[in-house]
Amino acid sequence: MTKPANLLSPDTSLLTGAPVNLSRRRFLLLSAGTTAGAFVLGFGLPVGGARAEGLSGTMKPGTRVPAFLEIRPDNSVHLQSPFVEGGQGIFTAMAQIVGEELDADPAGFIVENAPAGSDYKVMGNGMRITGGSMSVRMSYSTMRRLGALARQMMLQAAAERLVAPVGELTTEPGRVIHGPSGRSIPYGQLAERAMDLPVPDPESVTLKDPGQFRWIGKPLARLDVYEKSVGKAIFAIDCRAEGMLYAAVQHAPRLGLTVGNVRNEDAVRAMKGVHSVHRLPGAVAVVAERWWSAKRAAEALQVDWREPGPESDVRYMPADFSTAAFSDLLANTPGSGQEAENVGDVAGALKNAHTVVSATYRSQYVNHAQLEPPSALARFNPDGTLELWIPNQAPEMFQADIARRTGLDPSRIIIHSPLLGGFFGRHFIYNTATPYPQAIQLAKEVGRPIKLIWSREEEFLRDTLRPMAAVRFRGGLDANGLPVALEAVTVCEGPTEGISGHKDGKIDPSAVEGLAGKAYAIPNHRIAQIYVKNPVMLGYWRSVGNSMNDFLYEAFLDELADKGGQDPYQLRLHLLRGNQRLSTLLQSVVDLSGGWKRGPFTATDGTGRARGIAMASPFGTETAAIAEVSIENGQIRVHDVWQSIDPGSIVNPAIIEAQVNSAVALGLSEVLLEEAVYKNGQPVARNYDLYPILPSDRMARVHVRIIESGAKMGGIGEPGLPAVPPAVANAVSRLTGQRVRSMPLSRHTFES
């Protein structure tokens, strides 16, 4: 991953009007695979006059074909993905989508993360982030059009070579066919001429009818698996630069503290391999020839930490903070909240209800706990550019933030986005919770490239957490036990306002997603939020607000069903009457599980079991899940999870099934085990020994059914999680007769 130290400067042969990643330009030019005559549709490469003319001016996103594609003489296709691969299969999906319209086998694609640049903002909302399960669903049409434009350029080049009208030409995978004569030319042989052709008008290309799809909708094998399996995949933690030094940090034990006296600084400087010691905001760093030397030295530092002054704008962690006390504070905070949703007359319906059910449910803090610890490699280049190799989910956001911090123009900041070793929302811009500002400061002070790695312990200390919440529910039932009113008031700080700041009178949508917007036909319902600021840094976690709020809502809905003498499956069907899509989905998961069997019942192995059911509607996709549980040594064992998922339409069913399995695993880990506990202002867990995640021997069997309803395409990476925790909790309540209103279930001991 080491790049040349001296980067090329822009020259008159480069395209204008768009940022140029100079390191990427030189890499392509010097790459052994790039030979004379290649159809180098590579961002920022010198081009002939025709193409430069065709690319001048403002273009629609995803139509500047040279930003994305490179077709080489050996017929290989190199695609720069706008979205970052972190194990979710996005490289494969992008190859399928582009390859479908280009008519090139996706299995032969070589895909890498694209650099920062406005060309890669291909999502329908004008953004470029890898998160919110938005990548495919918000770029699907744009990336198809990209492939179609490239195919049209191949046809035009072939028309010149064969002296035949474009209308007589067609394509088969990787080649252009002239039907009347039977002649054909591989794409690679057309590269030299195609390189100098202008990009066609986007309106001139017609996309395929789905009935003609060759690859979209098929379970193609993942493109990234082989290199990961043999250890060739490059993550940020693997990146190196010539002449670099390593750095490790010791953070303040509590957020907001500042560096005072370092009592043994001279002794640490004298340790073997140590280059220097540095003071950072809220941390002290050691730079050394090897990372292990830096880590040992950083841990040896004896720092007098100071309380922040009144002028500090950093979030502050009090010395007496505990999650147990904070959870109680949330649960007992009075007020009616700021309304996110208010339909009908909730107060009147509750007053006149035959039965009123009240309950407070709670969710816990959780860590990201991704496999790869955060790291950053920073290098100031002789030409004045700043180059960074950082795990990230939004290159342009990082580029803009670094420009703000350094004063450099964004065009002078080169962002490399290696593969992510797990992320789940961890790699966004979180003040005090990301290493790249520290790496930049150290590289500037030392004058050499710096590779900073946070140890696992430092990551657990500074990780952003999924918010904690307490939700006060009230439900009204009529004489038949059917819901006529539901009120949910969540007391929390949402992750978005935790990052960007709370705005009075405004609701953070991420705080109420999973509570608001439910499809159940409860005539009177009200959803509100009471804002309470957290002392920890908050962040996005897989499926965001849905990951906790669907547990809270769906478990309370089961509680209403029990109070009203209703079967929870039948009650959901009743509340979804008239909604054919969700009714079909709910019936589908019941069929998948072999029929609704709530229990309790005795399994063939003699264990007592029960099943729970739940639904969720996250990120444009509809899901329904059933979980079957028993009790083993006082703790819950989940044997099977059945999930039906309707994302509207799909690209790769194998990836969907893998993502549902992954989401189920994380959902089970959340509901059974995971919890970030704080005592005396510090996290109890600083590694996996005290922060247990779901072990393989507790993983359930997962059964997946994919439904293509034809609705607008939804997301995949996150939707499989939210219905799992409430399905498990509802099964536990049925099996034990004990209504559990908080996660994780490991807090409770159940009798078998």
Side-chain angles (χ1 to χ4, degrees):
M1 287 296 294
T2 301
K3 298 292 191 288
N6 296 315
L7 305 180
L8 299 181
S9 299
D11 57 48
T12 56
S13 66
L14 292 178
L15 300 178
T16 58
V20 176
N21 185 314
L22 300 173
S23 183
R24 169 66 182 163
R25 173 180 185 263
R26 179 158 185 164
F27 171 75
L28 282 178
L29 288 171
L30 300 180
S31 168
T34 304
T35 57
F39 180 30
V40 184
L41 299 180
F43 188 47
L45 289 171
V47 297
R51 173 168 296 165
E53 181 180 352
L55 292 177
S56 62
T58 302
M59 300 183 71
K60 290 183 179 180
T63 58
R64 198 184 296 272
V65 181
F68 297 87
L69 283 169
E70 176 186 343
I71 300 176
R72 297 181 176 177
D74 63 359
N75 243 30
S76 63
V77 180
H78 293 239
L79 170 66
Q80 295 203 84
S81 169
F83 307 107
V84 181
E85 179 65 71
Q88 78 276 41
I90 195 63
F91 278 5
T92 307
M94 288 293 108
Q96 282 183 257
I97 297 167
V98 173
E100 186 66 70
E101 297 291 348
L102 174 59
D103 209 358
D105 188 349
F109 275 51
I110 298 170
V111 188
E112 63 180 1
N113 292 320
S118 59
D119 281 318
Y120 303 105
K121 295 181 178 181
V122 298
M123 297 164 63
N125 58 9
M127 300 171 64
R128 179 197 178 187
I129 68 170
T130 304
S133 292
M134 292 189 285
S135 301
V136 170
R137 62 184 170 122
M138 289 196 175
S139 69
Y140 181 66
S141 297
T142 300
M143 298 307 288
R144 285 182 63 192
R145 183 183 60 200
L146 175 75
L149 287 170
R151 176 179 179 271
Q152 187 65 28
M153 295 167 77
M154 287 292 146
L155 290 171
Q156 291 171 352
E160 293 183 9
R161 174 76 68 86
L162 298 172
V163 193
V166 171
E168 292 183 358
L169 303 176
T170 187
T171 59
E172 289 293 334
R175 61 178 53 240
V176 177
I177 309 294
H178 183 238
S181 67
R183 293 175 294 168
S184 69
I185 306 178
Y187 286 171
Q189 293 183 18
L190 297 169
E192 185 172 5
R193 175 57 188 141
M195 182 177 178
D196 198 39
L197 291 174
V199 177
D201 181 348
E203 304 302 323
S204 69
V205 296
T206 301
L207 302 183
K208 283 185 179 180
D209 182 275
Q212 301 174 318
F213 283 167
R214 193 190 302 266
W215 293 292
I216 290 178
K218 305 298 191 299
L220 269 65
R222 289 274 296 269
L223 299 181
D224 56 326
V225 168
Y226 174 76
E227 288 200 343
K228 290 177 178 177
S229 300
V230 299
K232 291 184 177 181
I234 300 297
F235 300 88
I237 203 168
D238 301 313
C239 295
R240 298 175 58 85
E242 184 178 351
M244 76 179 188
L245 294 170
Y246 290 90
V249 295
Q250 180 191 144
H251 287 105
R254 291 184 286 115
L255 191 62
L257 301 185
T258 61
V259 180
N261 182 45
V262 181
R263 298 191 300 275
N264 63 338
E265 183 171 349
D266 290 340
V268 170
R269 289 181 187 276
M271 291 176 67
K272 184 178 180 180
V274 169
H275 176 277
S276 50
V277 176
H278 303 260
R279 287 162 171 78
L280 307 170
V284 181
V286 174
V287 174
E289 294 292 337
R290 298 176 181 274
W291 184 77
W292 190 251
S293 299
K295 177 181 183 293
R296 291 181 64 191
E299 291 174 342
L301 288 167
Q302 298 171 8
V303 185
D304 294 327
W305 299 102
R306 295 175 178 171
E307 294 291 319
E311 72 285 353
S312 174
D313 59 356
V314 175
R315 194 171 287 232
Y316 171 67
M317 171 64 72
D320 61 351
F321 176 79
S322 76
T323 43
F326 190 64
S327 180
D328 288 340
L329 182 150
L330 295 178
N332 294 300
T333 298
S336 57
Q338 177 77 27
E339 289 179 351
E341 200 170 82
N342 193 351
V343 176
D345 179 9
V346 173
L350 288 171
K351 181 179 179 180
N352 297 317
H354 182 270
T355 305
V356 175
V357 182
S358 298
T360 298
Y361 280 73
R362 308 186 191 199
S363 65
Q364 77 279 39
Y365 285 137
V366 289
N367 283 97
H368 289 91
Q370 76 283 349
L371 183 62
E372 179 190 15
S375 66
L377 170 56
R379 180 177 70 188
F380 285 92
N381 295 309
D383 63 358
T385 58
L386 170 60
E387 197 163 7
L388 294 111
W389 289 259
I390 49 177
N392 73 86
Q393 295 175 241
E396 290 78 24
M397 288 185 184
F398 280 73
Q399 189 179 54
D401 182 71
I402 293 165
R404 178 185 62 81
R405 292 175 184 270
T406 62
L408 290 171
D409 187 271
S411 65
R412 310 297 289 168
I413 299 167
I414 303 165
I415 303 291
H416 300 275
S417 304
L419 296 173
L420 298 176
F423 57 113
F424 316 122
R426 178 63 181 95
H427 297 305
F428 286 115
I429 295 171
Y430 301 123
N431 192 30
T432 73
T434 49
Y436 65 90
Q438 298 174 341
I440 292 170
Q441 179 180 334
L442 293 172
K444 185 174 183 180
E445 292 179 0
V446 173
R448 290 172 61 178
I450 293 294
K451 175 67 170 297
L452 171 63
I453 303 173
W454 285 6
S455 68
R456 187 75 63 193
E457 291 76 14
E458 296 303 316
E459 160 63 353
F460 269 88
L461 182 63
R462 282 293 179 268
D463 187 13
T464 60
L465 304 182
R466 199 270 310 273
M468 182 186 291
V471 180
R472 298 197 295 265
F473 286 100
R474 289 194 297 165
L477 304 175
D478 64 17
N480 296 316
L482 297 173
V484 294
L486 188 148
E487 180 182 58
V489 179
T490 180
V491 187
C492 72
E493 180 179 25
T496 299
E497 60 193 350
I499 298 163
S500 304
H502 174 68
K503 298 175 176 60
D504 289 338
K506 298 246 183 199
I507 289 282
D508 178 357
S510 63
V512 296
E513 60 186 359
L515 296 174
K518 286 289 190 179
Y520 299 124
I522 299 176
N524 307 284
H525 54 274
R526 177 180 182 270
I527 309 298
Q529 178 197 6
I530 298 174
Y531 171 79
V532 176
K533 187 173 182 176
N534 291 248
V536 302
M537 276 294 296
L538 300 179
Y540 299 113
W541 196 80
R542 191 173 185 175
S543 74
V544 198
N546 295 93
S547 68
M548 57 186 185
N549 288 331
D550 278 303
F551 161 78
L552 305 167
Y553 189 106
E554 291 284 314
F556 181 68
L557 186 61
D558 255 47
E559 190 165 348
L560 288 181
D562 287 342
K563 292 288 186 181
Q566 301 289 323
D567 176 84
Y569 164 56
Q570 294 296 335
L571 176 62
R572 285 174 172 80
L573 270 183
H574 173 78
L575 295 175
L576 294 173
R577 60 194 184 281
N579 189 324
Q580 189 59 52
R581 182 185 183 190
L582 291 184
S583 296
T584 299
L585 180 73
L586 188 59
Q587 291 166 339
S588 168
V589 76
V590 168
D591 292 342
L592 181 65
S593 70
W596 176 237
K597 184 168 61 172
R598 190 183 187 199
F601 58 88
T602 301
T604 55
D605 64 359
T607 58
R609 300 191 185 185
R611 293 182 180 181
I613 194 167
M615 303 186 75
S617 303
F619 305 99
T621 289
E622 304 291 345
T623 64
I626 291 174
E628 181 172 309
V629 308
S630 69
I631 299 172
E632 185 177 283
N633 299 322
Q635 291 297 311
I636 300 304
R637 158 73 68 175
V638 183
H639 297 274
D640 292 270
V641 173
W642 297 268
Q643 184 160 167
S644 287
I645 182 168
D646 176 5
S649 57
I650 69 173
V651 172
N652 188 319
I655 290 178
I656 293 175
E657 185 162 351
Q659 284 294 291
V660 171
N661 273 267
S662 167
V664 168
L666 194 53
L668 292 177
S669 192
E670 170 198 7
V671 71
L672 297 177
L673 297 169
E674 290 194 39
E675 181 178 21
V677 177
Y678 274 68
K679 293 181 180 179
N680 301 319
Q682 299 182 40
V684 172
R686 296 288 296 273
N687 211 319
Y688 294 118
D689 55 342
L690 295 178
Y691 187 85
I693 60 175
L694 188 76
S696 58
D697 62 357
R698 292 191 68 178
M699 180 61 184
R701 293 180 293 266
V702 181
H703 317 267
V704 183
R705 177 168 292 172
I706 302 168
I707 297 175
E708 289 191 85
S709 63
K712 184 179 179 180
M713 181 181 285
I716 290 300
E718 299 175 271
L721 189 150
V724 174
V728 171
N730 290 336
V732 171
S733 293
R734 182 60 175 177
L735 181 62
T736 65
Q738 175 184 345
R739 177 55 63 180
V740 178
R741 299 192 178 106
S742 65
M743 298 184 284
L745 299 184
S746 58
R747 280 176 163 263
H748 310 273
T749 300
F750 302 95
E751 294 184 4
S752 55

